[in-house]
Amino acid sequence: MAYDYTPYPYVQPPGLIAPEPRHEVIIVGAGPIGLALALDLAGHGVGVVVLDDNNVVSVGSRAICWSKRSLEILDRLGVADRMVEKGETWKVGRTYHGTREVFRYDLLPEDGHKMPAFVNLQQYYVEEYLIEAALKNPLIDLRFKNRLTGIDRHSDHVFLDIDTPDGEYSLEAGWLIACDGAKSPIRGMLGLDFAGEQFEERFLIADIEMEADFPSERWFWFEPKFHPGQSALLHKQPDNVYRIDLQLGWEADPKEEAQPDRVIPRIEKVVGHSDFRLDWVSIYSFQCARLEEFVHGRVVFCGDSAHVVSPFGARGGNGGLQDVDALGWRLSAIIGGAPNRLLGDYDRERRYGADENIANSSRTTRFMTPDAGIERLFRDNVLVLAEKASFARSWVNSGRLSRPCTYPLIGADDRRLPEVSRPGSVAPDAPQGDSWLLSDLGGEIVVMAIGAEISGLRGAAVITPKVNPDVKARYLGDAPGAIYVIRPDQIVAARWISAELDTVQAAIDAIWEPVEWH
């Protein structure tokens, strides 16, 4: 394969020799979500043990499309610059019907953001960068080849049984975070099931290595000549690796279709030659589903262990990182003495985000794989119309690409200020000379006084961003100034054109209370 899968060393855990003291947090799963959460918690001063039953990064490219919002989160954790440097940056997508280009789109038409719209980078690189950062952090104890085999839940802790190459041992955790993937063993141990929809469709994913001049764009075909009656997707990745997705139909035999003598002829039709090397193949079906609740006493579910969607739209890994963003600051605050009810807000917000992702993914799948009759007639006519009429292009659905949801928060909101920075939304980035606005946000509550002055606040840092055209467009509009309260996850909590000190302080204090929603 194109990537060198070097195993990480197994180290005998101290619990095999003598009982360990109770750990504040134990995370199960050293994928991107578990590692990112460990780094986020460590950034808040919380010690974390991460357990993983493997000792290599994920095999195959798996998640490859990392959104602007994910990159902003990972920038706080110290790995985004490496990802952007290594990855294939893109923002243009092209949609085809047969041989005709129906339309193209630009996901980030404006300048003035540190992070690009999307970076394509194989999941194994992302895990490598996160593992390296975790191993350097003294607050993170990363344990490979440590497999969770049992859970005993109590009111104030969780008791864990763990198997290693050297035998079994036990640990206690104040909190157990399940980041153990779509087939989550923890979910099984607790007897929890997903609720949702299983789609009767199969797709082929293939990574190929070849020299080619395809641009760094997303290409999606409905009914291409090289794959009649089905759909296809092409993405460029680093190291001359290309991701190809091909719809196969529900009747396809997964074992048979994964054989090289079946895969290679299909790929030859896509790229027009045989000068490539097959790197990785996977046949998959999927469901769009989630747990009814993400918090179960002292066990919290995060990422694919809590919710799953189709891979079209890059909503899996990116949605999981938004879980991390909503959980880390709350859990660290609880460990520091805040009430446990803060996790109720994590549960509600991320169920809302998961439902939004599931709805978008379900619509995508139905558009890509319409039933015979009215669904297919609608899909085919939309594609014909979209080629000629711009208003119909928003109806074409080949994967509505991941964007952070806007939570329906009830917070002070002067509607004369720009819509892009309303409460519940991610604070938009903007240049600040040689730095970026988001670099001053995150990890703590921040009050932004833009063209305004305020002082004497408790429990928040105050910054005064430089007013430039980007700041004005995203935060002020026609207003001469404004005051924003930003949560530790860079979510806008409240905003005013002007406000008294007591009003702003009340908004800061309210962040630690149960969230009210529209």
Side-chain angles (χ1 to χ4, degrees):
M1 300 182 75
Y3 183 81
D4 180 16
Y5 289 91
T6 302
Y8 291 95
Y10 159 76
V11 177
Q12 187 181 75
L16 283 169
I17 307 301
E20 298 183 35
R22 182 180 298 177
H23 296 279
E24 290 177 323
V25 178
I26 293 178
I27 296 172
V28 176
I33 307 309
L35 293 165
L37 181 59
L39 287 165
D40 193 23
L41 289 169
H44 289 283
V46 175
V48 184
V49 175
V50 181
L51 307 176
D52 197 276
D53 61 1
N54 208 340
N55 66 340
V56 294
V57 295
S58 61
V59 176
S61 60
R62 299 186 182 271
I64 65 168
C65 295
W66 304 95
S67 71
K68 176 177 178 290
R69 181 57 194 153
S70 290
L71 293 168
E72 290 169 350
I73 294 168
L74 292 165
D75 194 34
R76 296 207 310 266
L77 306 181
V79 300
D81 286 344
R82 292 185 70 185
M83 291 175 62
V84 174
E85 181 180 2
K86 177 66 178 178
E88 289 286 342
T89 296
W90 68 278
K91 63 174 185 171
V92 172
R94 298 180 186 270
T95 301
Y96 298 86
H97 188 200
T99 59
R100 303 187 312 276
E101 182 176 324
V102 179
F103 64 92
R104 67 189 295 274
Y105 54 86
D106 189 332
L107 294 168
L108 191 63
E110 63 179 8
D111 294 326
H113 298 265
K114 179 180 180 180
M115 292 299 162
F118 275 89
V119 163
N120 281 358
L121 183 64
Q122 297 92 320
Q123 182 173 321
Y124 43 72
Y125 280 120
V126 179
E127 290 184 13
E128 174 190 322
Y129 301 161
L130 289 167
I131 287 171
E132 289 180 6
L135 290 174
K136 292 176 182 177
N137 194 306
L139 290 176
I140 299 175
D141 181 356
L142 180 51
R143 303 183 184 184
F144 296 106
K145 306 296 283 185
N146 278 241
R147 181 173 63 90
L148 179 68
T149 58
I151 301 172
D152 187 11
R153 292 185 289 165
H154 301 269
S155 62
D156 63 345
H157 72 281
V158 183
F159 188 84
L160 309 178
D161 294 318
I162 301 152
D163 187 36
T164 77
D166 293 325
E168 299 179 348
Y169 73 107
S170 299
L171 289 176
E172 286 188 4
W175 297 93
L176 173 64
I177 316 300
C179 299
D180 53 345
K183 297 180 180 180
S184 172
I186 295 176
R187 202 172 60 234
M189 291 174 191
L190 270 57
L192 301 173
D193 292 323
F194 274 156
E197 183 176 3
Q198 174 76 39
F199 287 92
E200 294 186 348
E201 186 56 85
R202 299 193 197 281
F203 289 84
L204 161 73
I205 290 181
D207 282 352
I208 63 171
E209 187 177 355
M210 68 177 179
E211 297 284 344
D213 58 357
F214 293 114
S216 295
E217 298 176 348
R218 180 186 194 261
W219 289 1
F220 190 96
W221 292 268
F222 292 98
E223 301 178 322
K225 285 188 175 181
F226 58 75
H227 195 50
Q230 306 281 29
S231 62
L233 175 67
L234 174 70
H235 269 289
K236 186 178 183 180
Q237 304 176 68
D239 305 330
N240 293 319
V241 174
Y242 290 81
R243 156 76 64 83
I244 296 172
D245 290 53
L246 296 174
Q247 181 185 352
L248 297 178
W250 183 241
E251 304 305 321
D253 182 279
K255 291 184 179 179
E256 182 179 337
E257 294 295 344
Q259 299 304 311
D261 62 348
R262 296 283 291 175
V263 175
I264 290 173
R266 293 187 186 277
I267 303 302
E268 288 175 340
K269 292 179 181 179
V270 178
V271 300
H273 59 78
S274 59
D275 188 17
F276 61 84
R277 187 177 66 82
L278 196 59
D279 193 63
W280 174 66
V281 174
S282 178
I283 308 293
Y284 67 92
S285 59
F286 57 86
Q287 62 181 145
C288 292
R290 68 166 174 85
L291 286 172
E292 184 176 351
E293 296 179 336
F294 295 177
V295 179
H296 294 261
R298 292 276 170 159
V299 181
V300 183
F301 290 84
C302 190
D304 284 351
S305 70
H307 47 76
V308 290
V309 293
S310 77
F312 295 98
R315 296 177 177 275
N318 291 309
L321 285 170
Q322 291 168 45
D323 292 350
V324 169
D325 209 26
L327 176 59
W329 66 278
R330 289 185 167 105
L331 185 57
S332 63
I334 289 169
I335 291 169
N340 288 3
R341 64 174 179 266
L342 278 180
L343 285 184
D345 291 339
Y346 161 76
D347 182 56
R348 184 160 52 158
E349 287 184 358
R350 294 316 304 155
R351 283 191 285 118
Y352 179 88
D355 286 344
E356 184 174 282
N357 281 338
I358 287 169
N360 277 293
S361 293
S362 298
R363 292 171 191 144
T364 292
T365 304
R366 293 192 179 93
F367 193 89
M368 289 170 50
T369 61
D371 291 335
I374 191 66
E375 278 192 11
R376 178 167 288 277
L377 182 65
F378 171 78
R379 197 280 301 274
D380 292 347
N381 278 280
V382 164
L383 290 171
V384 171
L385 184 60
E387 191 173 351
K388 301 175 182 179
S390 59
F391 73 85
R393 291 169 187 170
S394 62
W395 302 346
V396 176
N397 194 336
S398 63
R400 299 284 164 74
L401 289 157
S402 175
R403 300 179 61 185
C405 69
T406 298
Y407 301 125
L409 302 182
I410 293 178
D413 182 14
D414 193 315
R415 293 300 179 92
R416 292 172 293 176
L417 296 170
E419 179 73 6
V420 69
S421 56
R422 69 185 185 276
S425 63
V426 177
D429 202 5
Q432 292 287 285
D434 295 332
S435 65
W436 295 90
L437 181 56
L438 281 183
S439 298
D440 293 327
L441 307 178
E444 62 179 341
I445 299 173
V446 174
V447 172
M448 292 197 303
I450 307 173
E453 293 184 4
I454 193 165
S455 61
L457 296 168
R458 304 182 310 277
V462 178
I463 65 170
T464 55
K466 300 173 184 176
V467 179
N468 55 39
D470 292 303
V471 170
K472 184 171 177 57
R474 295 164 198 170
Y475 287 97
L476 295 180
D478 295 329
I483 297 170
Y484 282 77
V485 175
I486 312 296
R487 297 189 334 194
D489 53 359
Q490 299 173 328
I491 299 292
V492 177
R495 63 180 186 173
W496 310 262
I497 287 179
S498 63
E500 298 295 328
L501 179 66
D502 289 349
T503 301
V504 180
Q505 186 65 58
I508 294 169
D509 297 341
I511 290 174
W512 305 112
E513 298 297 328
V515 174
E516 292 186 77
W517 283 29
H518 291 289

